[in-house]
Amino acid sequence: MVRMIRESFAVVEPHSEEVAKFFYGMLFSLSPATREMFPANMEVQRSRLLRALVHVVQMVDRPDDLIPFLRQLGRDHRKFGVINVHYEAVGTALLSAVKKFSGAAWTPKVEMAWAEAYTLMARAMQEAADADNGPAYWHATVLEHQRVSWDLAVVRLQPDHPVSYKAGQYVSVETPQRKRLWRYYSPANAPREDGVIEFHIRSVDGGWVSRSVVGHTQAGDTWRIGPPMGRLSVDRTAGSDILMVAGGTGVAPMHAIIDEMAQFGENPRVHLFYGGRTREDLYDLDNLQRIATTNPWLTVVPVLESDPGVRGVEQGSLADVVTRYGAWEERDVLVCGSPAMIRSTVSRMLVAGTPLDRIKYDPFTLD
């Protein structure tokens, strides 16, 4: 089943944009009510569908990773009002889209493999959604909007009830300026007693939500926050030291984990490579270096791609610099940043000899 799914998806993937358009067209035809769950502009949603599909296909033979991911998706989809009957329409639309663009690669056996795989996926999502007794989303009030630079803002919010996230996870958010345009952001702080959550949000070219957040969010705005997702975390009791690789605002979940670890006297060693194009991109460097001065288990290495005049930093891409230090075979590895940064870093580390099962990253990183 795994081989047939991957081989047929390899045929379909070059036509990913057409696949996504066909999928949503078929879904809205089969279940018109689902159209109200999505924004008028479907461009980002189509991209997100394909990223999720790629992620699932990559993990289809790794159930210990895939099932938790699917269960998180099932809980997250409650915020849209998804119910069990919608899964049948989604499955029909998905198989129809893959079939249309598979050509001769689509055979009865391939169809059966996709049908079986989707049944398992849908079951995991439905069971998780049915078992979740928590809220489908939380309301949160913006306490502060701090413009750090022309394209970066720090936003602090007070949820109406504590959001049960773990340091390193991400959540979906909806802002009043962009209704139904849910986006995924990582809290940059560990959970606090007062429940306040801090987000670091950079304006993305063409980003409907990120540009609105950076430019127009105001204190008093009410956001909606979806259930926590993601698998970036540190087990302090496991005995393994940690390697963190963060690009740009991908440092937010790393900061949250470090923030939590700093509450303890003893920790595994943490080596954080924090990268950007110019020194301005490393907006959180001073804060992280301050934490490192009082926590000897933490080492922070700044990395710049396009600012050769800056001293005290490593020069090059994160992929270049991290692998220059070795393969990090004995470390648990956390990676967060843009999709391109994650792909290049993980690929280079695998070539350098880093075991795949020691690398963790999350798939949703775009505006």
Side-chain angles (χ1 to χ4, degrees):
M1 183 179 77
V2 171
R3 178 182 57 80
M4 286 189 287
I5 287 174
R6 285 183 170 159
E7 287 179 354
S8 57
F9 189 73
V11 175
V12 168
E13 195 171 7
H15 309 284
S16 57
E17 188 172 341
E18 295 94 331
V19 171
K21 289 179 178 178
F22 185 90
F23 166 80
Y24 281 110
M26 176 68 74
L27 174 62
F28 298 153
S29 174
L30 293 170
S31 181
T34 60
R35 184 64 185 90
E36 294 302 313
M37 300 177 184
F38 299 96
N41 187 316
M42 290 291 295
E43 182 178 350
V44 172
Q45 190 64 38
R46 287 194 292 266
S47 175
R48 183 175 293 163
L49 168 70
L50 267 298
R51 288 203 307 280
L53 267 179
V54 168
H55 198 64
V56 167
V57 170
Q58 288 173 340
M59 295 195 301
V60 72
D61 58 347
R62 293 157 51 194
D64 290 345
D65 292 326
L66 178 58
I67 297 303
F69 172 71
L70 293 172
R71 293 183 66 83
Q72 287 182 343
L73 275 184
R75 289 190 290 269
D76 184 58
H77 276 58
R78 293 171 62 227
K79 67 176 185 274
F80 295 118
V82 172
I83 57 178
N84 289 348
V85 69
H86 295 138
Y87 283 91
E88 182 178 349
V90 169
T92 301
L94 176 62
L95 266 65
S96 297
V98 175
K99 177 180 180 179
K100 179 175 176 62
F101 293 93
S102 291
W106 189 262
T107 66
K109 289 186 177 180
V110 170
E111 182 172 9
M112 183 177 295
W114 274 95
E116 289 179 2
Y118 179 76
T119 299
L120 294 173
M121 291 161 52
R123 184 181 302 146
M125 293 176 67
Q126 288 173 281
E127 289 175 353
D130 292 342
D132 192 343
N133 296 318
Y137 54 82
W138 291 258
H139 288 101
T141 303
V142 175
L143 300 178
E144 182 182 2
H145 175 268
Q146 178 186 357
R147 194 80 175 259
V148 177
S149 66
W150 70 271
D151 66 343
L152 179 69
V154 173
V155 183
R156 296 181 180 90
L157 300 104
Q158 178 71 67
D160 55 358
H161 295 92
V163 180
S164 55
Y165 73 95
K166 298 177 182 178
Q169 288 189 302
Y170 60 94
V171 296
S172 56
V173 304
E174 182 199 51
T175 69
Q177 292 83 9
R178 294 290 186 263
K179 293 286 189 181
R180 292 189 293 175
L181 289 173
W182 290 85
R183 295 294 184 268
Y184 293 105
Y185 296 119
S186 297
N189 61 295
R192 295 170 28 171
E193 288 187 8
D194 62 7
V196 171
I197 300 177
E198 178 177 302
F199 294 107
H200 299 172
I201 300 175
R202 188 180 297 280
S203 177
V204 177
D205 287 342
W208 285 51
V209 175
S210 62
R211 294 175 67 181
S212 173
V213 169
V214 172
H216 304 293
T217 291
Q218 299 180 12
D221 285 353
T222 299
W223 290 17
R224 290 201 293 172
I225 298 178
M229 301 177 68
R231 60 195 196 117
L232 294 185
S233 63
V234 168
D235 182 355
R236 296 178 53 258
T237 66
S240 297
D241 290 331
I242 311 300
L243 170 66
M244 296 181 174
V245 187
T249 53
V251 77
M254 310 302 186
H255 192 143
I257 294 171
I258 291 169
D259 183 29
E260 184 170 71
M261 295 176 70
Q263 301 173 25
F264 300 90
E266 295 185 6
N267 281 301
R269 290 181 299 162
V270 176
H271 213 106
L272 167 62
F273 289 88
Y274 177 25
R277 290 166 298 172
T278 66
R279 176 60 181 85
E280 187 181 52
D281 290 335
L282 306 187
Y283 66 93
D284 203 31
L285 181 60
D286 292 343
N287 293 329
L288 291 165
Q289 289 178 329
R290 273 195 294 272
I291 297 173
T293 59
T294 55
N295 292 276
W297 47 267
L298 175 62
T299 300
V300 180
V301 180
V303 179
L304 296 180
E305 285 191 52
S306 307
D307 211 341
V310 180
R311 295 184 178 182
V313 305
E314 293 278 3
Q315 298 289 340
S317 70
L318 279 165
D320 291 336
V321 174
V322 170
T323 53
R324 194 183 301 159
Y325 277 68
W328 305 93
E329 303 100 319
E330 303 303 319
R331 300 242 182 172
D332 290 336
V333 181
L334 309 181
V335 184
C336 190
S338 69
M341 171 264 171
I342 292 174
R343 282 194 299 270
S344 62
T345 301
V346 171
S347 297
R348 289 286 294 280
M349 293 192 73
L350 293 175
V351 171
T354 311
L356 176 60
D357 61 1
R358 305 209 73 151
I359 302 175
K360 291 182 182 179
Y361 61 92
D362 287 320
F364 296 114
T365 51
L366 286 180
D367 180 83

